[in-house]
Amino acid sequence: MALSAGTRRTVACVLVGLGAMLLVAAIMVPTYTVSRLAKTPLDLEITTVATNPQNGAPSEVLDSKSLTSGTGSAKVDQNVPLVSQRFLTVEDPSDASEMTIQAGQTLRRTDKQGDTGLLTATIDRVTVDRKTGEPVESVDGGPNGAIGVTVDKKGESVMDPVQHTGLQYRFPIGTDKKTYPYFDLNVRKTYDINYVEETEINNLKVYHFQMAVPVTDLSTVANSPTNKLTLPAEKWGVEGDGDVTMARFYTNTRDLWVEPRTGTVIKGQEQIHLFYARSGDKPEVTALKSTLVFDENTIESQISVAKDNIDKLSLYGRILPIILGVLALVFLIVGLLLGFLGKNGNGRTPVRRVAPAPSGGPGNFDAPTQQIDMNKKP
């Protein structure tokens, strides 16, 4: 059934209006929605596991009991299987722009049971920007984080206020091929982590970054009893008589593989070297020397997290705007065609003509045959 001219005009106006609304939506969705999605979610819970691959690389651990035994010198075990586990959660205070991250991390040797296998345990808290991943300034002007490496008499962690700077647990949304500042938890300082190359992990594009932490005396970093020890020279296994005081030193080469669109760390590797010495340039007794790498389950889990976020960003940043834009164009074109080309088939509004006065004939009234002169006097 053909539409009347008035109905066509109404439908045309509605279609043009819908097209304009969809066009505005296509522009606004990536502008506002993506900016809200491009943040670390507040329900974040991530467990990462790193192990030392059994490929002939050194994995040396100091037997702590040998330092306190009555006889013999310090003993360093070889080919020790290790596992590092980190559990990361989001805590209060957190809001639309900032989040407080708490990460508990342990390093264990798996050839020993229970507490005898525990080598280190650390708790770290820091408040970061949800988009850039960088720490934010504390509202009270104090340190923006805290680190716990020791426990009190009740066995509870003692948290030392520590100012955090640089990246740590994630990279920015839209990671660039450049150098970033990166915070090392062990020395509590920030060093450059440099872009190395673009590569792939399980068919996912990633950026490889690397940083080198210089040899650092840990006794100047944290007040832990194990960071400086005084023992007989014989116990240390060095020449001389009497007691010798040694500090524990730390150095590390850290490699990270980051999915650039989301800033997710897909893979991590650390080449850690802890040793006791009287001088940082002359290691004397190894405390820990090993390479720790994310295991395959962790890598696959991180890839899954990255892909979920990529899909969300792609949906609202590209796919949905394209669909809305196409629909807007269709509605606008149909509305304009209906409004301009649908008028009487030639673009002109039809003119309504007035019918002529009826003429005489069957069924018609005859014209008057006599006219009355209104001016004639009786």
Side-chain angles (χ1 to χ4, degrees), residues 5 71 74 119 121 157 221 226 242-243 255 300 314 322 360:
T71 59
L119 300 177
S157 296
V221 176
T226 59
D243 291 339
D255 292 89
E300 288 298 330
S314 179
I322 290 175

Side-chain angles (χ1 to χ4, degrees), residues 1-14 338:
M1 181 176 65
L3 297 177
S4 66
T7 302
R8 285 199 300 270
R9 285 195 296 270
T10 301
V11 173
C13 290
V14 171
L338 192 60

Side-chain angles (χ1 to χ4, degrees), residues 134-145:
E134 294 188 0
V136 298
E137 294 298 325
S138 174
V139 293
D140 59 5
N144 56 8

Side-chain angles (χ1 to χ4, degrees), residues 122-124 145-149 158-162 164 183 185 188:
T122 306
I123 295 178
D124 181 38
I147 298 174
V149 294
V158 178
M159 303 297 291
D160 299 325
V162 176
H164 291 59
F183 184 78
L185 183 64
R188 305 181 184 183

Side-chain angles (χ1 to χ4, degrees), residues 42-215:
L42 293 177
D43 58 351
L44 193 68
E45 287 190 4
I46 295 178
T47 299
T48 58
V49 177
T51 59
N52 56 327
Q54 304 299 312
N55 56 3
S59 184
E60 306 172 3
V61 177
L62 175 64
D63 184 353
S64 58
K65 290 185 177 181
S66 67
L67 293 178
T68 57
S69 63
T71 59
S73 60
K75 177 187 176 185
V76 178
D77 295 330
Q78 304 292 321
N79 302 319
V80 179
L82 299 172
V83 58
S84 176
Q85 186 173 23
R86 183 175 68 200
F87 182 58
L88 186 149
T89 59
V90 178
E91 307 291 337
D92 291 328
S94 297
D95 55 32
S97 59
E98 301 174 0
M99 61 192 298
T100 299
I101 292 176
Q102 178 166 296
Q105 184 167 320
T106 60
L107 177 63
R108 295 177 176 273
R109 53 184 302 172
T110 58
D111 58 345
K112 293 190 176 183
Q113 300 297 319
D115 291 341
T116 59
L118 182 64
L119 300 177
T120 62
T122 306
I123 295 178
D124 181 38
R125 284 177 64 94
V126 60
T127 302
V128 303
D129 185 280
R130 291 180 60 192
K131 185 172 183 179
T132 66
E134 294 188 0
V136 298
E137 294 298 325
S138 174
V139 293
D140 59 5
N144 56 8
I147 298 174
V149 294
T150 58
V151 295
D152 58 19
K153 294 180 180 179
K154 297 181 180 180
E156 298 179 354
S157 296
V158 178
M159 303 297 291
D160 299 325
V162 176
Q163 180 70 14
H164 291 59
T165 57
L167 304 175
Q168 193 172 356
Y169 296 109
R170 53 151 298 183
F171 276 65
I173 301 293
T175 298
D176 294 321
K177 298 177 180 180
K178 68 176 188 179
T179 297
Y180 287 95
Y182 196 91
F183 184 78
D184 185 276
L185 183 64
N186 295 297
V187 300
R188 305 181 184 183
K189 290 183 180 180
T190 300
Y191 296 97
D192 286 344
I193 186 164
N194 301 306
Y195 171 78
V196 177
E197 62 178 346
E198 178 180 321
T199 184
E200 288 188 357
I201 295 179
N202 297 351
N203 298 319
L204 181 69
K205 183 181 75 173
V206 294
Y207 291 169
H208 177 197
F209 292 88
Q210 186 179 79
M211 71 178 293
V213 181
V215 175

Side-chain angles (χ1 to χ4, degrees), residues 5 8-9 339-351 353:
R8 285 199 300 270
R9 285 195 296 270
F340 290 103
L341 300 181
K343 298 178 179 179
N344 201 29
N346 58 5
R348 294 180 298 175
T349 302
V351 178
R353 301 181 182 276

